[in-house]
């Protein structure tokens, strides 16, 4: 009897982030890809003595990206435009790959813009990689591919 899916889960280290169809940079870490929905309570006088739970508004967490800083200043330039009052929203995709490098899951985020950019922490007594981070908001998620 064949199982309906692969028994081994995908590994979380093989992914990329793209916006407007272009991969701008690799990232060390991506977090915050989740969605929640409030439950609203409602009851009418003719209901049994229990409260109904009705789906409320959907909300999305901010996405946090981290990477080793290089001479690629794309993240900073995007954030700087927002600070200058030029709101440039982009559609961003987070793509999970299998161990062979084939695309397996693609989450598409709509109307993204950066709320926070952080320069790397620097310490002359360590040999750590200089990591920059970007946090952005979005207004929705869809899945193009899940295989």
């Amino acid at each position: 009897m064949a199982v309906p899916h692969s028994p081994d889960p995908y590994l979380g280290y093989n992914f990329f982030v793209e916006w407007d169809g272009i991969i701008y940079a690799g990232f060390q870490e991506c977090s915050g890809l989740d969605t929640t929905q409030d439950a609203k309570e409602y009851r009418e006088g003719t209901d049994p003595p229990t409260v109904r739970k009705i789906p409320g508004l959907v909300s999305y967490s901010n996405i946090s990206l981290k990477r080793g800083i290089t001479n690629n200043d794309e993240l900073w330039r995007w954030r700087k435009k927002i600070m200058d009052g030029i709101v440039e929203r982009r559609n961003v995709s987070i793509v999970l790959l299998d161990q062979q490098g084939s695309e397996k899951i693609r989450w598409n985020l709509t109307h993204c813009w950066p709320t926070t950019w952080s320069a790397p922490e620097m310490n002359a007594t360590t040999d750590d990689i200089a990591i920059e981070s970007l946090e952005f908001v979005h207004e929705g998620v869809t899945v193009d591919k899940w295989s």
Side-chain angles (χ1 to χ4, degrees), residues 34-142:
D34 60 62
T35 176
T36 59
Q37 190 165 13
D38 293 332
K40 299 297 179 186
E41 294 185 350
Y42 180 76
R43 186 174 184 286
E44 293 178 355
T46 58
D47 284 348
T50 60
V51 176
R52 284 192 248 174
K53 301 287 185 171
I54 299 172
L57 295 175
V58 176
S59 64
Y60 306 98
S61 294
N62 293 354
I63 302 295
S64 177
L65 299 172
K66 295 183 180 180
R67 71 173 185 178
I69 195 165
T70 66
N71 63 348
N72 180 339
D73 67 346
E74 175 67 20
L75 300 181
W76 167 251
R77 286 187 287 124
W78 188 17
R79 177 67 188 131
K80 179 77 168 90
K81 283 182 181 178
I82 301 294
M83 293 186 309
D84 291 341
I86 304 166
V87 179
E88 183 179 302
R89 297 173 186 261
R90 299 178 181 176
N91 294 323
V92 173
S93 294
I94 299 169
V95 183
L96 183 66
L97 308 172
D98 64 12
Q99 288 181 291
Q100 289 73 41
S102 298
E103 183 176 318
K104 291 300 174 181
I105 306 173
R106 175 180 289 263
W107 294 275
N108 298 309
L109 311 172
T110 56
H111 304 149
C112 305
W113 58 272
T115 61
T116 305
W117 175 86
S118 299
E121 293 183 16
M122 292 169 263
N123 183 339
T125 64
T126 69
D127 61 355
D128 293 340
I129 302 296
I131 303 293
E132 74 174 324
S133 62
L134 180 79
E135 185 175 309
F136 64 83
V137 297
H138 65 96
E139 296 176 358
V141 61
T142 60

